[in-house]
Amino acid sequence: MPRLALSNVEVVYDKVFLAIKGVSLEVGEGDMVALLGANGAGKSTTLKTISGLLGPERGAVTRGEVSFGEADLLPLGAPDRVASGLVHVLEGRRIFGHLTPDENLVAAFRAGGSAARLNELRERVYAYFPRLKERMRSKAGYLSGGEQQMLAIGRALMTEPKLIMLDEPSLGLSPLLVQEIFAIIREINSQEGVSVLLVEQNASAALEIVHSAYLIENGHIVMNGTAEVLKQNPDVQEFYLGGT
Ligand code: ATP
């Protein structure tokens, strides 16, 4: 059974605009999958549907099925989805700028968890991101874009996820930092067995680390396959990899 499965998911905004048109996709246990597409293709809408951040109160109606292991996700609220092991690192990072990195990590840990577990997780985050430890006493709002992205991923790890969804972690970062952060995402996947669903406009960087990918255009999945096969595809090369 896949860790995450979407079957014929549709999302309608404001009663009329069909943003997601029958999307089906799967992320296997321990798998690392990318959802690639241009601006406005429907990537963030897909992630928000999975994490429970879209609902009628936001003018969005969802149809279809989303399952997480054996659980049917759509009837669950966002906090219950996090508790079940699904975490969403939003585009733009959304850390608490007025708190220190350490306070950000503590705030992301589940209420009622033991101090020993908290320390264990926190040390694991600092082992992945030693730079955060160096900056542990400054306000997170003063960290660089790359450090803030690291903190956003660190906060996600504090929830002890089975699957991490990342929305454009490369946004606004230099190519070198993108490489660094992507290498750590790959390490988290391989060392902890955490499944990853990575949303990216930067297809060439994403296809270097994921096992497989789906391409989304205009709310439709237009292609999917292993990273190796997609990289060889002439249309992917022309439209997603800038002709390289
Ligand atoms: P980006 O990389 O720019 O975030 P995306 O692939 O994530 O793009 P979405 O943000 O999912 O795309 O948007 C898909 C479509 O749905 C777009 O046409 C967008 O304008 C529309 N849309 C997104 N959010 C809303 C909303 N809250 N209300 C109405 N329409 C929306």
Side-chain angles (χ1 to χ4, degrees), residues 52-68:
L53 297 180
L54 280 183
E57 73 287 357
R58 294 206 160 78
V61 172
T62 304
R63 291 188 281 261
E65 282 171 44
V66 182
S67 55
F68 189 61

Side-chain angles (χ1 to χ4, degrees), residues 153-194:
I153 297 171
R155 284 176 47 87
L157 289 176
M158 294 301 289
T159 69
E160 305 189 67
K162 298 187 178 106
L163 184 136
I164 298 188
M165 301 194 292
L166 298 148
D167 197 348
E168 305 252 2
S170 75
L171 199 73
L173 305 185
S174 70
L176 209 64
L177 254 177
V178 173
Q179 260 185 27
E180 188 182 329
I181 286 183
F182 276 26
I184 295 169
I185 295 170
R186 179 155 60 182
E187 217 179 301
I188 291 168
N189 167 255
S190 64
Q191 288 192 9
E192 321 236 345
V194 179

